[in-house]
């Protein structure tokens, strides 16, 4: 009987020791999956810079209309804000201001306008965008435009034989603009874009000193703008997922 009791006690002791050792081993339970990263958002303020070309489509009128179809450099800075209204719909406002280079005009018919003076160009626009991929945005835009009119500094005309030089100087005119663009978020902070705008300024009444005296002329300033840009976004970047906790 005593031998049986000793055997039972030994088996119970071995089982208790095995249980204590197993309690000290790491759990084989799988770690919980990390939470998904927050989706990229266009929401927030941004600043940027752009550069491109203006292709003139204005009109210089001296007895007959003469197209102003030359090209000029444009470049400057921009400031804007985006609202991520839904995962795919982005609303925004943007204002920009920049430099316009000299516009070299074509010779057409009787009149030969010279290059224009340099000037300024800016806009204040609304934007309506569609985020068709996590970091891609296409948008339409329209709003207010302003800039220096496209007044040639001088002109010559064959009929009647006239030589004229700008008498009144250039002025800043108000107008409108509309266009579209595409933007790609290179990172949470940096995006790059390509944009097309058509802009038209209010007609200008300008005067030229000529061999027939001072002559008032009408000037229409309009053109196509193709430009690229880079923006810096102040939106808070997505927070990293916390490290998984391994249960003991």
């Amino acid at each position: 009987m005593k031998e049986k009791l000793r055997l039972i006690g030994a088996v119970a002791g071995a089982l208790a020791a095995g249980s204590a050792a197993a309690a000290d081993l790491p759990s084989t339970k799988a770690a919980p999956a990390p939470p998904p990263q927050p989706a990229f958002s266009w929401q927030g303020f941004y600043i940027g810079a752009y550069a491109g070309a203006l292709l003139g489509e204005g009109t210089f009128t001296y007895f007959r209309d003469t197209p102003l179809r030359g090209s000029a450099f444009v470049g400057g800075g921009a400031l804007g804000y985006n609202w991520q209204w839904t995962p795919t719909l982005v609303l925004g406002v943007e204002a920009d201001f920049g430099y316009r280079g000299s516009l070299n005009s074509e010779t057409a018919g009787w009149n030969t306008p010279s290059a224009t003076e340099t000037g300024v160009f800016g806009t204040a626009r609304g934007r309506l965008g569609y985020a068709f991929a996590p970091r891609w945005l296409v948008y339409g835009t329209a709003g207010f435009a302003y800039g220096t009119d496209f007044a040639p500094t001088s002109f010559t005309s064959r009929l009647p034989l006239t030589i004229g030089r700008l008498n009144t100087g250039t002025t800043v005119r108000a107008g409108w603009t509309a266009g579209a663009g595409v933007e790609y978020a290179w990172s949470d902070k940096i995006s790059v874009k390509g944009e097309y705008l058509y802009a038209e300024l209010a007609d200008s009444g300008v005067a030229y000193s000529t061999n027939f005296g001072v002559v008032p002329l009408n000037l229409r300033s309009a053109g196509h703008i193709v430009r690229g840009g880079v923006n810096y976004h102040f939106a808070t970047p997505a927070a990293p997922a916390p490290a998984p906790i391994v249960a003991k």
Side-chain angles (χ1 to χ4, degrees), residues 66-231:
T66 300
L68 298 176
R69 294 189 182 135
S71 61
F73 169 81
V74 291
L79 171 68
Y81 186 86
N82 288 321
W83 289 272
Q84 186 89 39
W85 195 258
T86 71
T88 56
L89 181 62
V90 180
L91 307 178
V93 291
E94 181 175 293
D96 60 72
F97 176 78
Y99 165 85
R100 173 187 60 76
S102 179
L103 189 76
N104 292 307
S105 306
E106 291 182 354
T107 298
W110 297 338
N111 302 326
T112 305
S114 73
T116 69
E117 294 181 347
T118 60
V120 298
F121 179 79
T123 72
R125 296 168 285 112
R127 300 203 320 173
L128 175 62
Y130 175 71
F132 65 92
R135 292 180 178 271
W136 285 94
L137 179 72
V138 293
Y139 60 88
T141 182
F144 172 77
Y146 61 96
T148 311
D149 55 20
F150 304 169
T153 57
S154 61
F155 77 95
T156 59
S157 177
R158 293 198 300 270
L159 291 173
L161 182 59
T162 308
I163 300 174
R165 181 163 295 277
L166 188 62
N167 177 285
T168 56
T170 56
T171 58
V172 174
R173 313 294 290 184
W176 63 272
T177 184
V182 60
E183 191 166 358
Y184 172 69
W186 189 265
S187 69
D188 288 343
K189 295 290 189 181
I190 304 297
S191 68
V192 293
K193 70 177 182 180
E195 187 173 68
Y196 163 79
L197 296 173
Y198 179 82
E200 182 169 340
L201 305 178
D203 289 1
S204 304
V206 294
Y208 285 80
S209 299
T210 74
N211 46 318
F212 297 107
V214 176
V215 178
L217 301 179
N218 187 65
L219 187 71
R220 175 177 169 266
S221 302
H224 307 270
I225 298 169
V226 180
R227 61 190 186 181
V230 58
N231 290 330

Side-chain angles (χ1 to χ4, degrees), residues 47-68:
I47 59 173
Y50 68 88
L54 169 85
L55 307 176
E57 198 179 70
T59 306
F60 173 86
T61 304
Y62 180 66
F63 286 95
R64 63 180 299 176
D65 290 343
T66 300
L68 298 176

